[in-house]
Amino acid sequence: MGHIVTRFAPSPTGRLHLGHAASARLGWQLARAGGGRWLVRIEDIDAARCRDDHEAAILEDLAWLGMTPDGEVLRQSERRAAYSQALDRLRALGVVYPCQCSRADIAAAAHAPHGPDGPLYPGTCRTRPASPDNAAWRLDTARAARLTGPLVFEDAELGRVDVAPSLLGDIVVARRNAGVAYHLAVVVDDAHQGVTDVVRGEDLRASTHPQRLLQALLGLPVPRYRHHALMRGPDGQRLSKRDGAATLASMRDQGVTTKQILTSIDAVIFTDTISVR
Ligand code: GLU
């Protein structure tokens, strides 16, 4: 097994729940098994929703579970220059376009195609170019895919996966005001941190398709991917911050032990694939 670097990349918009703990633990175990490093990256580009006290609490929860990062915590809010360089490169390749559509415009568009996560951007500004002033920037995925040719990624569960470049439509790579958006920041930072194995929930498997496309456009190294099963509540629904899923902190307050948390995680996500490679 080569040198392994994994990362846990929470957004400090709330407290961690069991699902986050699962991603963190699987990445941590994989790094430990390979004599590698486990890194933490705080995904705080959305200044309006991210809070310092959540960040501190996240690190505390991880420490409670026995996981401390191997190296400095990286904050996306400190990486603006790198994102802006990457966006410039995409602009120079002619694969992004400015978009002035509001959420309401997109919701109102007739015949919006659907993707795995809901309606896709209908391409309004791709065919009717908008002013770049204070615009969001979207990736023209069809044009980008013509440049890169066919792509694949390695998925621990599925093996070699053919990339469907437009699976999530023309994704936003830079939000208005923020200068960057999730997919672009992730690929730039995974490369910057030397991540060899991306470990995250299977709800993000679809995101790997446009992210692989961005890696090809930007000439970035390509990690392997491990998308784990989601932790579910007693009602069978996936846990989420929004619906008030029990946080690690509240479980701790109720007397749940670290060992109990780790055992319940391992029962769901641990498969014998951990040591295979
Ligand atoms: N920041 C993302 C989240 O909290 C995870 C991103 C990733 O693992 O690629 O859901």
Side-chain angles (χ1 to χ4, degrees), residues 40-77:
V40 171
R41 178 168 78 227
I42 299 292
E43 303 218 316
D44 58 351
I45 45 180
D46 185 352
R49 296 178 55 229
C50 295
R51 287 178 14 195
D52 290 349
D53 58 323
H54 288 318
E55 178 187 321
I58 285 170
L59 297 173
E60 228 171 77
D61 286 343
L62 292 171
W64 178 60
L65 294 177
M67 296 181 274
T68 46
D70 300 314
E72 280 205 19
V73 171
L74 187 74
R75 277 178 204 86
Q76 290 193 323
S77 54

PDB file of all heavy atoms in Angstrom, residues 40-77:
ATOM      1  N   VAL A  40      -7.694  17.371   8.454  1.00  0.00           N
ATOM      2  CA  VAL A  40      -9.003  18.007   8.621  1.00  0.00           C
ATOM      3  C   VAL A  40      -9.008  19.317   7.855  1.00  0.00           C
ATOM      4  O   VAL A  40      -8.057  20.103   7.925  1.00  0.00           O
ATOM      5  CB  VAL A  40      -9.324  18.257  10.115  1.00  0.00           C
ATOM      6  CG1 VAL A  40     -10.576  19.114  10.261  1.00  0.00           C
ATOM      7  CG2 VAL A  40      -9.515  16.920  10.841  1.00  0.00           C
ATOM      8  N   ARG A  41     -10.070  19.493   7.081  1.00  0.00           N
ATOM      9  CA  ARG A  41     -10.227  20.739   6.316  1.00  0.00           C
ATOM     10  C   ARG A  41     -11.587  21.341   6.660  1.00  0.00           C
ATOM     11  O   ARG A  41     -12.607  20.653   6.558  1.00  0.00           O
ATOM     12  CB  ARG A  41     -10.165  20.421   4.822  1.00  0.00           C
ATOM     13  CG  ARG A  41     -10.354  21.627   3.956  1.00  0.00           C
ATOM     14  CD  ARG A  41     -10.000  21.323   2.530  1.00  0.00           C
ATOM     15  NE  ARG A  41     -11.019  20.603   1.818  1.00  0.00           N
ATOM     16  CZ  ARG A  41     -10.814  19.519   1.055  1.00  0.00           C
ATOM     17  NH1 ARG A  41      -9.612  19.007   0.924  1.00  0.00           N
ATOM     18  NH2 ARG A  41     -11.813  18.960   0.431  1.00  0.00           N
ATOM     19  N   ILE A  42     -11.564  22.583   7.072  1.00  0.00           N
ATOM     20  CA  ILE A  42     -12.812  23.255   7.427  1.00  0.00           C
ATOM     21  C   ILE A  42     -13.353  23.963   6.184  1.00  0.00           C
ATOM     22  O   ILE A  42     -12.710  24.870   5.643  1.00  0.00           O
ATOM     23  CB  ILE A  42     -12.558  24.264   8.587  1.00  0.00           C
ATOM     24  CG1 ILE A  42     -12.039  23.536   9.838  1.00  0.00           C
ATOM     25  CG2 ILE A  42     -13.819  25.053   8.898  1.00  0.00           C
ATOM     26  CD1 ILE A  42     -13.034  22.609  10.516  1.00  0.00           C
ATOM     27  N   GLU A  43     -14.521  23.539   5.729  1.00  0.00           N
ATOM     28  CA  GLU A  43     -15.084  24.072   4.481  1.00  0.00           C
ATOM     29  C   GLU A  43     -16.004  25.251   4.814  1.00  0.00           C
ATOM     30  O   GLU A  43     -17.221  25.125   4.930  1.00  0.00           O
ATOM     31  CB  GLU A  43     -15.799  22.954   3.729  1.00  0.00           C
ATOM     32  CG  GLU A  43     -14.840  21.787   3.468  1.00  0.00           C
ATOM     33  CD  GLU A  43     -15.008  21.100   2.130  1.00  0.00           C
ATOM     34  OE1 GLU A  43     -16.138  20.843   1.723  1.00  0.00           O
ATOM     35  OE2 GLU A  43     -13.964  20.819   1.481  1.00  0.00           O
ATOM     36  N   ASP A  44     -15.349  26.409   4.973  1.00  0.00           N
ATOM     37  CA  ASP A  44     -16.057  27.593   5.479  1.00  0.00           C
ATOM     38  C   ASP A  44     -16.128  28.709   4.449  1.00  0.00           C
ATOM     39  O   ASP A  44     -15.951  29.880   4.784  1.00  0.00           O
ATOM     40  CB  ASP A  44     -15.368  28.080   6.770  1.00  0.00           C
ATOM     41  CG  ASP A  44     -13.897  28.424   6.545  1.00  0.00           C
ATOM     42  OD1 ASP A  44     -13.378  28.124   5.447  1.00  0.00           O
ATOM     43  OD2 ASP A  44     -13.256  28.980   7.452  1.00  0.00           O
ATOM     44  N   ILE A  45     -16.387  28.348   3.177  1.00  0.00           N
ATOM     45  CA  ILE A  45     -16.449  29.423   2.177  1.00  0.00           C
ATOM     46  C   ILE A  45     -17.756  30.224   2.253  1.00  0.00           C
ATOM     47  O   ILE A  45     -17.810  31.345   1.800  1.00  0.00           O
ATOM     48  CB  ILE A  45     -16.262  28.901   0.723  1.00  0.00           C
ATOM     49  CG1 ILE A  45     -17.091  27.666   0.483  1.00  0.00           C
ATOM     50  CG2 ILE A  45     -14.811  28.698   0.386  1.00  0.00           C
ATOM     51  CD1 ILE A  45     -16.957  27.087  -0.912  1.00  0.00           C
ATOM     52  N   ASP A  46     -18.774  29.630   2.842  1.00  0.00           N
ATOM     53  CA  ASP A  46     -20.060  30.321   2.928  1.00  0.00           C
ATOM     54  C   ASP A  46     -20.106  31.105   4.247  1.00  0.00           C
ATOM     55  O   ASP A  46     -20.620  30.630   5.262  1.00  0.00           O
ATOM     56  CB  ASP A  46     -21.181  29.269   2.873  1.00  0.00           C
ATOM     57  CG  ASP A  46     -22.558  29.905   2.833  1.00  0.00           C
ATOM     58  OD1 ASP A  46     -22.650  31.134   3.002  1.00  0.00           O
ATOM     59  OD2 ASP A  46     -23.534  29.165   2.628  1.00  0.00           O
ATOM     60  N   ALA A  47     -19.551  32.322   4.193  1.00  0.00           N
ATOM     61  CA  ALA A  47     -19.349  33.093   5.421  1.00  0.00           C
ATOM     62  C   ALA A  47     -20.651  33.318   6.184  1.00  0.00           C
ATOM     63  O   ALA A  47     -20.661  33.383   7.420  1.00  0.00           O
ATOM     64  CB  ALA A  47     -18.697  34.435   5.085  1.00  0.00           C
ATOM     65  N   ALA A  48     -21.757  33.419   5.463  1.00  0.00           N
ATOM     66  CA  ALA A  48     -23.028  33.721   6.137  1.00  0.00           C
ATOM     67  C   ALA A  48     -23.500  32.548   7.004  1.00  0.00           C
ATOM     68  O   ALA A  48     -24.247  32.746   7.955  1.00  0.00           O
ATOM     69  CB  ALA A  48     -24.099  34.047   5.095  1.00  0.00           C
ATOM     70  N   ARG A  49     -23.088  31.334   6.680  1.00  0.00           N
ATOM     71  CA  ARG A  49     -23.610  30.172   7.411  1.00  0.00           C
ATOM     72  C   ARG A  49     -22.585  29.530   8.349  1.00  0.00           C
ATOM     73  O   ARG A  49     -22.935  28.692   9.170  1.00  0.00           O
ATOM     74  CB  ARG A  49     -24.131  29.120   6.422  1.00  0.00           C
ATOM     75  CG  ARG A  49     -25.321  29.621   5.609  1.00  0.00           C
ATOM     76  CD  ARG A  49     -25.788  28.593   4.599  1.00  0.00           C
ATOM     77  NE  ARG A  49     -26.096  27.314   5.225  1.00  0.00           N
ATOM     78  CZ  ARG A  49     -25.648  26.138   4.800  1.00  0.00           C
ATOM     79  NH1 ARG A  49     -24.860  26.071   3.753  1.00  0.00           N
ATOM     80  NH2 ARG A  49     -25.976  25.031   5.417  1.00  0.00           N
ATOM     81  N   CYS A  50     -21.299  29.910   8.203  1.00  0.00           N
ATOM     82  CA  CYS A  50     -20.262  29.248   9.000  1.00  0.00           C
ATOM     83  C   CYS A  50     -19.942  30.038  10.264  1.00  0.00           C
ATOM     84  O   CYS A  50     -19.969  31.264  10.240  1.00  0.00           O
ATOM     85  CB  CYS A  50     -19.002  29.079   8.153  1.00  0.00           C
ATOM     86  SG  CYS A  50     -19.291  27.972   6.761  1.00  0.00           S
ATOM     87  N   ARG A  51     -19.637  29.327  11.348  1.00  0.00           N
ATOM     88  CA  ARG A  51     -19.360  30.015  12.615  1.00  0.00           C
ATOM     89  C   ARG A  51     -18.138  29.415  13.288  1.00  0.00           C
ATOM     90  O   ARG A  51     -17.936  28.203  13.278  1.00  0.00           O
ATOM     91  CB  ARG A  51     -20.570  29.880  13.546  1.00  0.00           C
ATOM     92  CG  ARG A  51     -21.722  30.745  13.092  1.00  0.00           C
ATOM     93  CD  ARG A  51     -22.977  30.647  13.933  1.00  0.00           C
ATOM     94  NE  ARG A  51     -22.843  30.009  15.222  1.00  0.00           N
ATOM     95  CZ  ARG A  51     -23.900  29.600  15.936  1.00  0.00           C
ATOM     96  NH1 ARG A  51     -25.117  29.749  15.469  1.00  0.00           N
ATOM     97  NH2 ARG A  51     -23.714  29.037  17.113  1.00  0.00           N
ATOM     98  N   ASP A  52     -17.356  30.306  13.907  1.00  0.00           N
ATOM     99  CA  ASP A  52     -16.140  29.858  14.594  1.00  0.00           C
ATOM    100  C   ASP A  52     -16.442  28.892  15.735  1.00  0.00           C
ATOM    101  O   ASP A  52     -15.688  27.956  15.989  1.00  0.00           O
ATOM    102  CB  ASP A  52     -15.386  31.059  15.185  1.00  0.00           C
ATOM    103  CG  ASP A  52     -14.761  31.905  14.089  1.00  0.00           C
ATOM    104  OD1 ASP A  52     -14.746  31.444  12.925  1.00  0.00           O
ATOM    105  OD2 ASP A  52     -14.317  33.031  14.397  1.00  0.00           O
ATOM    106  N   ASP A  53     -17.541  29.153  16.446  1.00  0.00           N
ATOM    107  CA  ASP A  53     -17.829  28.267  17.589  1.00  0.00           C
ATOM    108  C   ASP A  53     -18.166  26.850  17.095  1.00  0.00           C
ATOM    109  O   ASP A  53     -17.854  25.861  17.765  1.00  0.00           O
ATOM    110  CB  ASP A  53     -18.938  28.834  18.493  1.00  0.00           C
ATOM    111  CG  ASP A  53     -20.242  29.064  17.757  1.00  0.00           C
ATOM    112  OD1 ASP A  53     -20.187  29.468  16.568  1.00  0.00           O
ATOM    113  OD2 ASP A  53     -21.315  28.845  18.335  1.00  0.00           O
ATOM    114  N   HIS A  54     -18.764  26.738  15.906  1.00  0.00           N
ATOM    115  CA  HIS A  54     -19.017  25.400  15.370  1.00  0.00           C
ATOM    116  C   HIS A  54     -17.688  24.713  15.040  1.00  0.00           C
ATOM    117  O   HIS A  54     -17.522  23.522  15.271  1.00  0.00           O
ATOM    118  CB  HIS A  54     -19.872  25.462  14.103  1.00  0.00           C
ATOM    119  CG  HIS A  54     -21.307  25.816  14.368  1.00  0.00           C
ATOM    120  ND1 HIS A  54     -22.014  25.287  15.420  1.00  0.00           N
ATOM    121  CD2 HIS A  54     -22.178  26.626  13.705  1.00  0.00           C
ATOM    122  CE1 HIS A  54     -23.250  25.758  15.398  1.00  0.00           C
ATOM    123  NE2 HIS A  54     -23.374  26.579  14.368  1.00  0.00           N
ATOM    124  N   GLU A  55     -16.768  25.488  14.473  1.00  0.00           N
ATOM    125  CA  GLU A  55     -15.466  24.897  14.134  1.00  0.00           C
ATOM    126  C   GLU A  55     -14.793  24.342  15.396  1.00  0.00           C
ATOM    127  O   GLU A  55     -14.315  23.200  15.410  1.00  0.00           O
ATOM    128  CB  GLU A  55     -14.552  25.937  13.468  1.00  0.00           C
ATOM    129  CG  GLU A  55     -13.198  25.336  13.161  1.00  0.00           C
ATOM    130  CD  GLU A  55     -12.176  26.340  12.647  1.00  0.00           C
ATOM    131  OE1 GLU A  55     -12.553  27.228  11.852  1.00  0.00           O
ATOM    132  OE2 GLU A  55     -11.010  26.227  13.053  1.00  0.00           O
ATOM    133  N   ALA A  56     -14.781  25.145  16.456  1.00  0.00           N
ATOM    134  CA  ALA A  56     -14.136  24.699  17.694  1.00  0.00           C
ATOM    135  C   ALA A  56     -14.830  23.442  18.228  1.00  0.00           C
ATOM    136  O   ALA A  56     -14.177  22.486  18.674  1.00  0.00           O
ATOM    137  CB  ALA A  56     -14.193  25.822  18.731  1.00  0.00           C
ATOM    138  N   ALA A  57     -16.161  23.429  18.134  1.00  0.00           N
ATOM    139  CA  ALA A  57     -16.917  22.283  18.651  1.00  0.00           C
ATOM    140  C   ALA A  57     -16.638  21.024  17.820  1.00  0.00           C
ATOM    141  O   ALA A  57     -16.574  19.914  18.356  1.00  0.00           O
ATOM    142  CB  ALA A  57     -18.407  22.610  18.640  1.00  0.00           C
ATOM    143  N   ILE A  58     -16.478  21.208  16.519  1.00  0.00           N
ATOM    144  CA  ILE A  58     -16.187  20.063  15.638  1.00  0.00           C
ATOM    145  C   ILE A  58     -14.866  19.417  16.050  1.00  0.00           C
ATOM    146  O   ILE A  58     -14.755  18.198  16.195  1.00  0.00           O
ATOM    147  CB  ILE A  58     -16.132  20.541  14.159  1.00  0.00           C
ATOM    148  CG1 ILE A  58     -17.560  20.797  13.644  1.00  0.00           C
ATOM    149  CG2 ILE A  58     -15.406  19.520  13.279  1.00  0.00           C
ATOM    150  CD1 ILE A  58     -17.634  21.483  12.287  1.00  0.00           C
ATOM    151  N   LEU A  59     -13.852  20.243  16.270  1.00  0.00           N
ATOM    152  CA  LEU A  59     -12.542  19.703  16.646  1.00  0.00           C
ATOM    153  C   LEU A  59     -12.611  19.021  18.012  1.00  0.00           C
ATOM    154  O   LEU A  59     -11.970  17.988  18.246  1.00  0.00           O
ATOM    155  CB  LEU A  59     -11.488  20.812  16.616  1.00  0.00           C
ATOM    156  CG  LEU A  59     -11.268  21.412  15.214  1.00  0.00           C
ATOM    157  CD1 LEU A  59     -10.330  22.621  15.265  1.00  0.00           C
ATOM    158  CD2 LEU A  59     -10.724  20.372  14.231  1.00  0.00           C
ATOM    159  N   GLU A  60     -13.434  19.585  18.889  1.00  0.00           N
ATOM    160  CA  GLU A  60     -13.621  18.977  20.214  1.00  0.00           C
ATOM    161  C   GLU A  60     -14.291  17.606  20.093  1.00  0.00           C
ATOM    162  O   GLU A  60     -13.873  16.637  20.725  1.00  0.00           O
ATOM    163  CB  GLU A  60     -14.576  19.878  21.004  1.00  0.00           C
ATOM    164  CG  GLU A  60     -14.149  20.228  22.392  1.00  0.00           C
ATOM    165  CD  GLU A  60     -15.104  21.288  22.918  1.00  0.00           C
ATOM    166  OE1 GLU A  60     -16.239  20.925  23.300  1.00  0.00           O
ATOM    167  OE2 GLU A  60     -14.727  22.483  22.913  1.00  0.00           O
ATOM    168  N   ASP A  61     -15.336  17.534  19.259  1.00  0.00           N
ATOM    169  CA  ASP A  61     -16.039  16.255  19.075  1.00  0.00           C
ATOM    170  C   ASP A  61     -15.096  15.198  18.508  1.00  0.00           C
ATOM    171  O   ASP A  61     -15.132  14.037  18.910  1.00  0.00           O
ATOM    172  CB  ASP A  61     -17.220  16.430  18.107  1.00  0.00           C
ATOM    173  CG  ASP A  61     -18.392  17.173  18.741  1.00  0.00           C
ATOM    174  OD1 ASP A  61     -18.432  17.274  19.984  1.00  0.00           O
ATOM    175  OD2 ASP A  61     -19.260  17.656  17.983  1.00  0.00           O
ATOM    176  N   LEU A  62     -14.265  15.612  17.545  1.00  0.00           N
ATOM    177  CA  LEU A  62     -13.331  14.653  16.938  1.00  0.00           C
ATOM    178  C   LEU A  62     -12.346  14.150  17.987  1.00  0.00           C
ATOM    179  O   LEU A  62     -12.052  12.948  18.063  1.00  0.00           O
ATOM    180  CB  LEU A  62     -12.582  15.302  15.765  1.00  0.00           C
ATOM    181  CG  LEU A  62     -13.449  15.636  14.540  1.00  0.00           C
ATOM    182  CD1 LEU A  62     -12.643  16.461  13.537  1.00  0.00           C
ATOM    183  CD2 LEU A  62     -13.998  14.370  13.880  1.00  0.00           C
ATOM    184  N   ALA A  63     -11.856  15.074  18.814  1.00  0.00           N
ATOM    185  CA  ALA A  63     -10.891  14.685  19.852  1.00  0.00           C
ATOM    186  C   ALA A  63     -11.553  13.722  20.833  1.00  0.00           C
ATOM    187  O   ALA A  63     -10.939  12.753  21.283  1.00  0.00           O
ATOM    188  CB  ALA A  63     -10.375  15.928  20.570  1.00  0.00           C
ATOM    189  N   TRP A  64     -12.836  13.975  21.135  1.00  0.00           N
ATOM    190  CA  TRP A  64     -13.572  13.082  22.045  1.00  0.00           C
ATOM    191  C   TRP A  64     -13.626  11.658  21.474  1.00  0.00           C
ATOM    192  O   TRP A  64     -13.562  10.672  22.199  1.00  0.00           O
ATOM    193  CB  TRP A  64     -14.989  13.646  22.258  1.00  0.00           C
ATOM    194  CG  TRP A  64     -15.848  12.788  23.138  1.00  0.00           C
ATOM    195  CD1 TRP A  64     -15.608  12.434  24.439  1.00  0.00           C
ATOM    196  CD2 TRP A  64     -17.089  12.175  22.766  1.00  0.00           C
ATOM    197  NE1 TRP A  64     -16.625  11.639  24.897  1.00  0.00           N
ATOM    198  CE2 TRP A  64     -17.549  11.463  23.899  1.00  0.00           C
ATOM    199  CE3 TRP A  64     -17.862  12.166  21.608  1.00  0.00           C
ATOM    200  CZ2 TRP A  64     -18.742  10.737  23.902  1.00  0.00           C
ATOM    201  CZ3 TRP A  64     -19.055  11.446  21.614  1.00  0.00           C
ATOM    202  CH2 TRP A  64     -19.478  10.753  22.740  1.00  0.00           C
ATOM    203  N   LEU A  65     -13.708  11.585  20.135  1.00  0.00           N
ATOM    204  CA  LEU A  65     -13.742  10.255  19.489  1.00  0.00           C
ATOM    205  C   LEU A  65     -12.334   9.690  19.274  1.00  0.00           C
ATOM    206  O   LEU A  65     -12.172   8.640  18.655  1.00  0.00           O
ATOM    207  CB  LEU A  65     -14.472  10.346  18.147  1.00  0.00           C
ATOM    208  CG  LEU A  65     -15.960  10.685  18.229  1.00  0.00           C
ATOM    209  CD1 LEU A  65     -16.552  10.811  16.830  1.00  0.00           C
ATOM    210  CD2 LEU A  65     -16.712   9.622  19.033  1.00  0.00           C
ATOM    211  N   GLY A  66     -11.335  10.413  19.752  1.00  0.00           N
ATOM    212  CA  GLY A  66      -9.963   9.901  19.680  1.00  0.00           C
ATOM    213  C   GLY A  66      -9.250  10.242  18.379  1.00  0.00           C
ATOM    214  O   GLY A  66      -8.254   9.605  18.028  1.00  0.00           O
ATOM    215  N   MET A  67      -9.760  11.239  17.641  1.00  0.00           N
ATOM    216  CA  MET A  67      -9.133  11.577  16.362  1.00  0.00           C
ATOM    217  C   MET A  67      -8.608  13.006  16.387  1.00  0.00           C
ATOM    218  O   MET A  67      -9.373  13.959  16.525  1.00  0.00           O
ATOM    219  CB  MET A  67     -10.162  11.427  15.228  1.00  0.00           C
ATOM    220  CG  MET A  67     -10.628   9.995  15.056  1.00  0.00           C
ATOM    221  SD  MET A  67     -11.818   9.803  13.696  1.00  0.00           S
ATOM    222  CE  MET A  67     -13.342  10.186  14.511  1.00  0.00           C
ATOM    223  N   THR A  68      -7.301  13.128  16.254  1.00  0.00           N
ATOM    224  CA  THR A  68      -6.727  14.468  16.117  1.00  0.00           C
ATOM    225  C   THR A  68      -5.972  14.500  14.787  1.00  0.00           C
ATOM    226  O   THR A  68      -5.328  13.526  14.410  1.00  0.00           O
ATOM    227  CB  THR A  68      -5.749  14.801  17.271  1.00  0.00           C
ATOM    228  OG1 THR A  68      -4.898  13.678  17.469  1.00  0.00           O
ATOM    229  CG2 THR A  68      -6.475  15.105  18.550  1.00  0.00           C
ATOM    230  N   PRO A  69      -6.098  15.628  14.071  1.00  0.00           N
ATOM    231  CA  PRO A  69      -5.523  15.675  12.720  1.00  0.00           C
ATOM    232  C   PRO A  69      -3.996  15.583  12.717  1.00  0.00           C
ATOM    233  O   PRO A  69      -3.334  16.075  13.627  1.00  0.00           O
ATOM    234  CB  PRO A  69      -5.988  17.029  12.181  1.00  0.00           C
ATOM    235  CG  PRO A  69      -6.615  17.767  13.314  1.00  0.00           C
ATOM    236  CD  PRO A  69      -6.854  16.825  14.436  1.00  0.00           C
ATOM    237  N   ASP A  70      -3.475  14.946  11.669  1.00  0.00           N
ATOM    238  CA  ASP A  70      -2.018  14.866  11.486  1.00  0.00           C
ATOM    239  C   ASP A  70      -1.591  16.081  10.682  1.00  0.00           C
ATOM    240  O   ASP A  70      -1.446  16.007   9.467  1.00  0.00           O
ATOM    241  CB  ASP A  70      -1.662  13.590  10.701  1.00  0.00           C
ATOM    242  CG  ASP A  70      -2.108  12.336  11.432  1.00  0.00           C
ATOM    243  OD1 ASP A  70      -1.857  12.242  12.644  1.00  0.00           O
ATOM    244  OD2 ASP A  70      -2.717  11.456  10.791  1.00  0.00           O
ATOM    245  N   GLY A  71      -1.408  17.184  11.346  1.00  0.00           N
ATOM    246  CA  GLY A  71      -1.017  18.400  10.625  1.00  0.00           C
ATOM    247  C   GLY A  71      -2.039  19.487  10.868  1.00  0.00           C
ATOM    248  O   GLY A  71      -3.085  19.262  11.468  1.00  0.00           O
ATOM    249  N   GLU A  72      -1.692  20.673  10.359  1.00  0.00           N
ATOM    250  CA  GLU A  72      -2.536  21.848  10.615  1.00  0.00           C
ATOM    251  C   GLU A  72      -3.887  21.725   9.947  1.00  0.00           C
ATOM    252  O   GLU A  72      -3.998  21.190   8.846  1.00  0.00           O
ATOM    253  CB  GLU A  72      -1.842  23.081  10.060  1.00  0.00           C
ATOM    254  CG  GLU A  72      -0.778  23.564  10.984  1.00  0.00           C
ATOM    255  CD  GLU A  72      -0.507  25.044  10.810  1.00  0.00           C
ATOM    256  OE1 GLU A  72      -1.351  25.761  10.243  1.00  0.00           O
ATOM    257  OE2 GLU A  72       0.569  25.456  11.240  1.00  0.00           O
ATOM    258  N   VAL A  73      -4.889  22.268  10.616  1.00  0.00           N
ATOM    259  CA  VAL A  73      -6.224  22.314  10.028  1.00  0.00           C
ATOM    260  C   VAL A  73      -6.216  23.368   8.910  1.00  0.00           C
ATOM    261  O   VAL A  73      -5.710  24.470   9.098  1.00  0.00           O
ATOM    262  CB  VAL A  73      -7.248  22.698  11.122  1.00  0.00           C
ATOM    263  CG1 VAL A  73      -8.617  22.968  10.527  1.00  0.00           C
ATOM    264  CG2 VAL A  73      -7.317  21.602  12.186  1.00  0.00           C
ATOM    265  N   LEU A  74      -6.749  22.990   7.750  1.00  0.00           N
ATOM    266  CA  LEU A  74      -6.804  23.938   6.629  1.00  0.00           C
ATOM    267  C   LEU A  74      -8.194  24.576   6.600  1.00  0.00           C
ATOM    268  O   LEU A  74      -9.201  23.879   6.757  1.00  0.00           O
ATOM    269  CB  LEU A  74      -6.563  23.180   5.320  1.00  0.00           C
ATOM    270  CG  LEU A  74      -6.414  24.049   4.071  1.00  0.00           C
ATOM    271  CD1 LEU A  74      -5.061  24.742   4.059  1.00  0.00           C
ATOM    272  CD2 LEU A  74      -6.575  23.220   2.801  1.00  0.00           C
ATOM    273  N   ARG A  75      -8.231  25.884   6.418  1.00  0.00           N
ATOM    274  CA  ARG A  75      -9.531  26.575   6.314  1.00  0.00           C
ATOM    275  C   ARG A  75      -9.710  27.109   4.904  1.00  0.00           C
ATOM    276  O   ARG A  75      -8.839  27.824   4.395  1.00  0.00           O
ATOM    277  CB  ARG A  75      -9.579  27.772   7.268  1.00  0.00           C
ATOM    278  CG  ARG A  75      -9.929  27.377   8.624  1.00  0.00           C
ATOM    279  CD  ARG A  75      -9.959  28.459   9.660  1.00  0.00           C
ATOM    280  NE  ARG A  75      -9.734  27.758  10.921  1.00  0.00           N
ATOM    281  CZ  ARG A  75      -8.539  27.482  11.404  1.00  0.00           C
ATOM    282  NH1 ARG A  75      -7.443  27.897  10.801  1.00  0.00           N
ATOM    283  NH2 ARG A  75      -8.419  26.785  12.528  1.00  0.00           N
ATOM    284  N   GLN A  76     -10.837  26.799   4.288  1.00  0.00           N
ATOM    285  CA  GLN A  76     -11.052  27.252   2.915  1.00  0.00           C
ATOM    286  C   GLN A  76     -11.144  28.774   2.826  1.00  0.00           C
ATOM    287  O   GLN A  76     -10.816  29.356   1.806  1.00  0.00           O
ATOM    288  CB  GLN A  76     -12.312  26.589   2.338  1.00  0.00           C
ATOM    289  CG  GLN A  76     -12.095  25.095   2.112  1.00  0.00           C
ATOM    290  CD  GLN A  76     -13.157  24.441   1.265  1.00  0.00           C
ATOM    291  OE1 GLN A  76     -14.327  24.794   1.380  1.00  0.00           O
ATOM    292  NE2 GLN A  76     -12.765  23.491   0.447  1.00  0.00           N
ATOM    293  N   SER A  77     -11.565  29.424   3.902  1.00  0.00           N
ATOM    294  CA  SER A  77     -11.665  30.893   3.874  1.00  0.00           C
ATOM    295  C   SER A  77     -10.287  31.528   3.683  1.00  0.00           C
ATOM    296  O   SER A  77     -10.187  32.699   3.333  1.00  0.00           O
ATOM    297  CB  SER A  77     -12.315  31.399   5.165  1.00  0.00           C
ATOM    298  OG  SER A  77     -11.619  30.886   6.285  1.00  0.00           O
TER     299      SER A  77
END
